[in-house]
Amino acid sequence: MYAPDDWYKSFFQGLFVEAWLDAMPAEHTEREVDFIRHKLAVSPPASVLDVPCGGGRHAIPLAELGYRVTAVDISPDFLKAPRQRADEKNLQIDWYQQDMSDLQWHSVYDGAYCFGNSFGYIPDDVIPRFLAQIVCALKPGARFVLDYPVLLENVLKIFMEKSSHTFGDFKGERNGRYDPESGRIVVEHTVTRGDQTARAVMNQRAYTYRQICDLFTAAGFEDVQ
C-alpha cells in the first residue's frame, strides 16, 4: 500500500468528493464554525482565509454571517459544489483553485483557518513554506486556527488498522497503518454507493504537539496554544 507525496492532488475527485460532502453532520459543522469564530476573535465583515476549503462547509456559513471569505482548494470537483451553493444563496466568496502551499497574499486577512486533517496532507518539506505564507497573508496580530486531530499522541491511542462506517447513502472502509520511519499514516479508503465503488490511498503526517508548536514558532507565529 503506497501513496506518493502529492497524492492529495488527484485523490479528491468523483465519488470520493461526493462521499466527503455527505460525511459530516450539519450540527458538527455548526460547532466548528462557532469554534472558528470564537478563536479568531474577529467580527463581520472581517476578512478570513479558508485553506483548504474542501466543500466549503465552513466558508459558506461564515459568509452568511457577514464575513468576507477567501476559500482555497486544489480540487476542482470539491470547488464546484460550494460555488453553486454560494451562487444560489447570493453569497460573495472568492474561490481559488490552487495548492494550499502556494499562497501569494500579504497582510490581507484578519484571520485564517485550516480544518479537516488537511495540515497533515502536506509533505514535511513543504510545511514550513505553507506556515510562512499564512503568516505573510495575515495582518499583524491576526490569528490562525488549526484543526489537527491526528496528533501522534492521539493517533497511537485510538488507531485501528481496519474500520468501516456508513454515512448517508455511502459505505466507507479504511485499511491503514502507521509508518514510524516517515511518521505518516497510510490509509487505503474505499467508498461505495449502490453499484459505484472508488478506492484510493492517502497519507498524512502525524506530528506530536511539541513538533506542531516548534513548526509554528519557526514560521513566525507568536503565542502558540
Side-chain angles (χ1 to χ4, degrees), residues 22-116:
D22 204 34
M24 199 63 67
E27 56 270 22
H28 186 87
T29 297
E30 291 173 6
R31 289 195 298 269
E32 289 186 340
V33 169
D34 287 343
F35 179 84
I36 290 169
R37 294 181 64 201
H38 174 68
K39 293 300 181 182
L40 290 183
V42 291
S43 301
S47 296
V48 296
L49 175 63
D50 181 346
V51 56
C53 66
R57 65 186 184 91
H58 304 108
I60 288 177
L62 287 170
E64 288 179 315
L65 291 168
Y67 290 90
R68 298 193 302 270
V69 181
T70 298
V72 176
D73 203 276
I74 199 170
S75 167
D77 284 14
F78 245 151
L79 289 172
K80 183 178 179 181
R83 276 175 165 158
Q84 182 176 342
R85 287 176 55 207
D87 288 344
E88 291 170 353
K89 294 173 176 286
N90 198 30
L91 296 174
Q92 178 59 49
I93 298 175
D94 294 324
W95 306 98
Y96 289 86
Q97 183 196 335
Q98 61 191 61
D99 194 303
M100 62 188 283
S101 62
D102 187 25
L103 310 178
Q104 306 297 328
W105 294 286
H106 299 275
S107 299
V108 172
Y109 296 104
D110 301 300
Y113 58 92
C114 176
F115 263 57

Side-chain angles (χ1 to χ4, degrees), residues 185-217:
I185 300 167
V186 185
V187 181
E188 181 182 62
H189 283 278
T190 303
V191 293
T192 303
R193 182 179 60 188
D195 59 357
Q196 295 178 292
T197 297
R199 184 176 289 106
V201 180
M202 68 188 305
N203 71 66
Q204 54 186 311
R205 184 68 149 86
Y207 290 105
T208 65
Y209 176 74
R210 183 67 260 161
Q211 287 172 319
I212 290 285
C213 291
D214 290 344
L215 285 166
F216 273 61
T217 301

